[in-house]
Amino acid sequence: MIQNSIATFKCEVIQRKLQLVGQCATGNFPQSFPDVAINVQKEFEIRRNEVRNVVDPEVIFSPYLSNNLVATYFACVEVKEFDSIPSGMMGIDIPMTTYAKVSCSNKTIEKGYERIFSWMKDNGYQHESFEKALPIEIFYYEDNVEEEIVELYIPIVD
């Protein structure tokens, strides 16, 4: 029997304010991706128990910045407050931001991006500049499963 994907590709507009603590890595873009992203997530998975005041250790937030030359990709957890930030990590305080959101899976991220950008265009939403906001990939980790829920947040102009 073929299992259906857990991806719903449901699109909506949400607002979130986030306090994140984690690590980042930078690499040539697009040549070194997704390897750089996968590696920083694996490295952070080993150290995430060092972060205090974590909201949910099984939810990894991955904001990123990119252009046609380089990209910086983060692996973080959400915290209730910035207490002490472990060595080699940083805190990111993301103000209230309006996002276009789509639910997909770790196996359907590319299709998730296609869907959210098409939905944004069809509904007249414009991408917010990197100067004011960051796109975010959110991974909901589960043990012993091949496919996990992923949400993509694309900041949009309010």
Side-chain angles (χ1 to χ4, degrees), residues 21-23 40-48 75-77:
V21 172
Q23 298 173 228
V40 75
Q41 284 186 338
K42 285 180 181 178
E43 290 171 17
F44 182 67
E45 186 175 337
I46 295 166
R47 296 192 60 204
R48 70 182 162 177
C76 307
V77 286

Side-chain angles (χ1 to χ4, degrees), residues 24 32 38 77 87 90 94 157:
C24 67
S32 58
I38 292 167
V77 286
S87 176
M90 65 183 291
I94 300 175
V157 176

Side-chain angles (χ1 to χ4, degrees), residues 25-96:
T26 300
N28 293 327
F29 188 79
Q31 304 90 321
S32 58
F33 281 80
D35 294 341
V36 168
I38 292 167
N39 290 340
V40 75
Q41 284 186 338
K42 285 180 181 178
E43 290 171 17
F44 182 67
E45 186 175 337
I46 295 166
R47 296 192 60 204
R48 70 182 162 177
N49 63 340
E50 296 175 34
V51 181
R52 298 169 70 180
N53 301 310
V54 175
V55 173
D56 184 343
E58 300 304 314
V59 180
I60 302 300
F61 291 77
S62 293
Y64 59 89
L65 294 157
S66 66
N67 60 27
N68 290 329
L69 302 174
V70 296
T72 299
Y73 192 86
F74 296 81
C76 307
V77 286
E78 183 179 12
V79 296
K80 296 172 193 137
E81 64 180 339
F82 293 117
D83 190 4
S84 62
I85 297 172
S87 176
M89 293 189 194
M90 65 183 291
I92 306 171
D93 190 9
I94 300 175
M96 186 63 74

Side-chain angles (χ1 to χ4, degrees), residues 16 56 58-61 101 138-142 145 148-151 153:
R16 292 272 322 248
D56 184 343
E58 300 304 314
V59 180
I60 302 300
F61 291 77
K101 171 189 153 188
I138 303 172
F139 297 85
Y140 293 85
Y141 286 123
E142 294 183 50
V145 297
E148 300 165 326
I149 295 171
V150 176
E151 294 175 341
Y153 286 16

